[in-house]
Amino acid sequence: MIGRRRLPQAMTAAAATGAAGLTGSGQASAHTDTAPTGRIAPDLGPVRHTRTDVLDIAYHDVGPAHGKPVILLHGWPFSPVGSYAEVAPALARRGYRCYIPYLRGHGETRLLRDDTLRSGEQAALGADLIAFMDALRLPRALFAGYDWGGRAGDVAAAQWPERCTGVVSVNGYLIQNLAVAQEPLAPALEEGVLVLLLLPH
């Protein structure tokens, strides 16, 4: 995983490279269904809220109102502020409208019902991203993220490719094939892994 202090520079470069030449077909909504809480994060503006069927999602938005939409997705256990305080303004200067949601279990994002199953599985994270876009009336966007956020973007792009103009996923924490994960490796492969782990470093 990229160190926390190096992450903004890495994501700025990766997102800018991934965004080059990609355009979203939708425009940002006027946020008539959202309201800022009044708290301000450095360079990210106020925390806003929008609701899906499952969540009250807290988020920031930065950049020109009709800029090309980019959704910046943070990892666990980090916050959007620590992850994207430098990235979002840099992309905004290049004409992108950045939406930076707090993933479920982070910040002010809350489940709407107490009896909803608490889940951090990859399917839930991907569905949350699409529901967030629906709530903001964003037809399409570029997804950029790392760790849990990268996985959310990867899953959403794989399941709903028509909603995604491109994906920037930093590190190798991608979609997990749960069926294959239950099967052991072939003995020869397991032996090779053990040999690598036992070799002096």
Side-chain angles (χ1 to χ4, degrees), residues 70-95:
V70 178
I71 301 176
L72 302 174
L73 301 153
H74 67 89
W76 181 90
F78 305 106
S79 83
V81 176
S83 300
Y84 295 115
E86 297 175 41
V87 176
L91 290 173
R93 289 191 293 272
R94 298 179 187 189

Side-chain angles (χ1 to χ4, degrees), residues 23-121:
T23 59
S25 62
Q27 294 181 343
S29 74
H31 301 299
T32 55
D33 56 347
T34 64
T37 63
R39 294 188 303 101
I40 303 293
D43 300 317
L44 296 184
V47 176
R48 301 181 185 277
H49 286 260
T50 192
R51 286 193 170 199
T52 70
D53 290 342
V54 176
L55 294 168
D56 179 310
I57 299 178
Y59 71 99
H60 300 277
D61 54 8
V62 178
H66 299 293
K68 296 180 286 291
V70 178
I71 301 176
L72 302 174
L73 301 153
H74 67 89
W76 181 90
F78 305 106
S79 83
V81 176
S83 300
Y84 295 115
E86 297 175 41
V87 176
L91 290 173
R93 289 191 293 272
R94 298 179 187 189
Y96 291 90
R97 178 71 165 185
C98 300
Y99 299 89
I100 311 111
Y102 290 76
L103 299 182
R104 55 169 60 202
H106 292 77
E108 296 178 19
T109 293
R110 296 286 184 270
L111 291 166
L112 296 178
R113 295 171 50 93
D114 290 337
D115 60 354
T116 300
L117 177 68
R118 269 63 177 160
S119 174
E121 66 181 3

Side-chain angles (χ1 to χ4, degrees), residues 129-145:
L129 172 52
I130 297 301
F132 175 69
M133 294 175 68
D134 289 344
L136 296 183
R137 301 182 183 92
L138 291 172
R140 302 179 76 208
L142 172 68
F143 306 153

